[in-house]
Amino acid sequence: MKREMLFFDMDGTLIDSEPGIVAGIEHTFSQLGRPVPSQLRRWIGPPLRDSFQSQLDDPALVTQALELYRQRYDARGWSEHTIYAGIGDTVQTLHAAGHRVAVVTSKNERFARRIADHLPFGHCFEDVVGASDDGERRFKPDLIAEAMRRLSVAPEQCWMIGDRRMDIEGARHHGMRNVGVLWGFGDEAELRAAGAIRLAQHPQELPELLAA
């Protein structure tokens, strides 16, 4: 098996983080005295800063919303998730085979690092790259660029593995290979439209897809 650098998205790829994220968004709008938007599941994946901006027209309110969300997520939300069945074994198998693995996520990096540290397979990750506190680094192309810089790898050495169009579009921005996963928050139509070159129905399929 050829040794590659594998970038894994977090939400919807490694963990089902819907409970903590949705509860945090609901808490935030409740604290602001605003109606809770519908279809909050679609908020999982894109940067939260931009999702809040789509609902709140005042920049000061967006800043307040982010702070309220982070306060709850820091206290409880980060632990309100489950690990997808089979993904831990797959990450460890890939790591044992000699692949380098890292997390690249639009989630705030402090929270992403904490979650990764508590995953039973978290020791496999060389680094966890996430959004900066100020939001300057939050879009997938920038996050992938930062990951390549930190880990001293070129696009042709890497794969991006994720469940939403942002993961695929970020990979394509850098001319990087990608795998769209179908156990998360995106679906086949979204991933194919974004340009996914391979799709995985289950984590156990990843080693074969990456070797093909």
Side-chain angles (χ1 to χ4, degrees), residues 4 9-10 19 28 34 63 74 92 104 144 166 200-202:
E4 309 278 10
D9 177 46
M10 179 169 276
T28 298
R34 298 291 187 99
T63 299
D74 187 43
Q92 292 182 93
V104 181
I144 291 173
M166 291 72 67
Q201 292 278 354
H202 307 286

Side-chain angles (χ1 to χ4, degrees), residues 45 62 85 124 130-131 145 156:
V62 173
C124 295
E156 59 269 20

Side-chain angles (χ1 to χ4, degrees), residues 16 24 30 37-38 47 54 67 75 93 108 115 117 119 141 144 174 186 204:
D16 180 354
S30 175
S38 61
S54 73
E67 182 59 28
T93 295
N108 178 276
I115 291 169
D117 285 345
L119 295 176
I144 291 173
H174 291 285
Q204 294 87 342

Side-chain angles (χ1 to χ4, degrees), residues 18-196:
E18 182 173 356
I21 292 174
V22 168
I25 297 168
E26 291 173 341
H27 167 81
T28 298
F29 280 96
S30 175
Q31 291 294 108
L32 292 175
R34 298 291 187 99
V36 177
S38 61
Q39 298 183 320
L40 291 181
R41 183 180 171 87
R42 302 300 294 175
W43 283 48
I44 304 173
L48 273 174
R49 181 181 296 270
D50 298 274
S51 297
F52 280 129
Q53 285 175 348
S54 73
Q55 299 291 321
L56 304 168
D57 52 10
D58 182 350
L61 270 181
V62 173
T63 299
Q64 185 181 358
L66 284 167
E67 182 59 28
L68 288 167
Y69 176 87
R70 288 173 178 171
Q71 286 174 358
R72 188 194 182 280
Y73 204 81
D74 187 43
R76 299 170 53 191
W78 72 273
S79 65
E80 295 173 329
H81 64 258
T82 56
I83 300 169
Y84 287 110
I87 192 64
D89 289 342
T90 296
V91 168
Q92 292 182 93
T93 295
L94 291 165
H95 181 257
H99 292 298
R100 301 173 66 189
V101 293
V103 174
V104 181
T105 174
S106 293
K107 183 186 289 296
N108 178 276
E109 185 168 307
R110 291 181 296 112
F111 296 140
R113 285 186 176 278
R114 188 188 305 173
I115 291 169
D117 285 345
H118 284 79
L119 295 176
F121 52 95
H123 63 280
C124 295
F125 298 118
E126 287 189 40
D127 205 347
V128 177
V129 179
S132 57
D133 285 342
D134 62 6
E136 286 298 310
R137 185 184 70 240
R138 68 185 188 276
F139 297 116
K140 225 40 180 250
D142 298 328
L143 293 161
I144 291 173
E146 175 67 8
M148 290 192 293
R149 184 192 68 79
R150 291 188 196 178
L151 294 161
S152 301
V153 290
E156 59 269 20
Q157 299 171 275
C158 305
W159 289 81
M160 182 69 220
I161 302 162
D163 68 308
R164 295 298 310 275
R165 63 173 179 80
M166 291 72 67
D167 302 306
I168 306 305
E169 291 166 354
R172 294 186 65 202
H173 176 86
H174 291 285
M176 184 180 294
R177 294 162 294 173
N178 63 75
V179 178
V181 306
L182 297 172
W183 56 83
F185 301 109
D187 58 25
E188 182 173 353
E190 174 183 327
L191 293 166
R192 287 197 183 280

